[in-house]
Amino acid sequence: MAGHLPVPEQIPLPLPEVQERRLRLVRAGELSPRARRRRNRLVAFGVSVVLCAGLFGVVAFHVVLTQGQLQLDQLHDTADAQQALYDRNRLLVAELESPERIVKVAQERLGMVPPPDVTYLSPTGIKVETRGGDEHTATADDDTDPTSTSWPAVKAHLAGSR
């Protein structure tokens, strides 16, 4: 037999160790090792789901909070712009209703001129003073003048009006 290979010597394989099986009494309500492993996996899965849901909730809350802050910033910017517009309009109104501007417009556009004399009338019909002229009827020293600031004149005037 010329073409045959020599057969190697067979090495004996190690025998698996024989595990002792310990039999024991299972009490009522006690879980088997398989059931305990299943329960532990379910608890771990439940805890991971709760943690993921909590993290998702925190992220969602943060997103909502950030969006609210952006809206608040936009409202502040709008309020600032409107306040600046309001201030500019108040300044414009103050400039438009200034007495100097009104006199200027009245003279330039409407052709008005200031009067030579101004007469002030009192409610009692007594001519008090005139600007630009010298005529006046009553003075502040006159006790019968109702525009006088002395108490006897005011008292007499009030007594006569009843």
Side-chain angles (χ1 to χ4, degrees):
M1 297 194 104
H4 291 289
L5 293 174
V7 178
E9 208 177 290
Q10 287 196 357
I11 303 174
L13 294 173
L15 294 174
E17 293 181 19
V18 179
Q19 293 181 354
E20 278 186 36
R21 290 191 174 188
R22 294 184 183 163
L23 296 177
R24 62 183 179 90
L25 180 62
V26 178
R27 294 189 178 103
E30 187 177 339
L31 296 175
S32 68
R34 176 189 261 177
R36 273 184 276 164
R37 283 191 303 269
R38 184 182 311 141
R39 183 183 63 189
N40 289 342
R41 276 188 254 134
L42 283 175
V43 167
F45 179 74
V47 167
S48 64
V49 166
V50 167
L51 283 175
C52 289
L55 288 175
F56 180 77
V58 167
V59 168
F61 178 73
H62 192 274
V63 166
V64 169
L65 188 66
T66 304
Q67 287 176 344
Q69 186 63 42
L70 286 174
Q71 288 177 346
L72 188 62
D73 289 343
Q74 289 173 349
L75 287 175
H76 278 293
D77 292 343
T78 302
D80 290 342
Q82 292 299 319
Q83 183 66 39
L85 178 64
Y86 174 74
D87 290 340
R88 283 193 306 268
N89 286 341
R90 283 196 60 186
L91 178 63
L92 180 63
V93 167
E95 289 172 354
L96 290 176
E97 63 185 15
S98 70
E100 294 84 21
R101 184 195 161 274
I102 292 173
V103 169
K104 182 179 175 186
V105 168
Q107 289 174 345
E108 290 176 359
R109 290 188 192 166
L110 304 175
M112 297 182 161
V113 293
D117 289 337
V118 176
T119 303
Y120 295 98
L121 302 175
S122 68
T124 58
I126 300 173
K127 190 188 277 187
V128 179
E129 280 184 37
T130 60
R131 191 178 85 181
D134 290 330
E135 74 179 81
H136 56 26
T137 307
T139 62
D141 296 333
D142 191 5
D143 286 342
T144 60
D145 180 17
T147 61
S148 173
T149 58
S150 67
W151 172 246
V154 173
K155 187 175 179 182
H157 176 70
L158 290 175
S161 65
R162 288 187 188 186

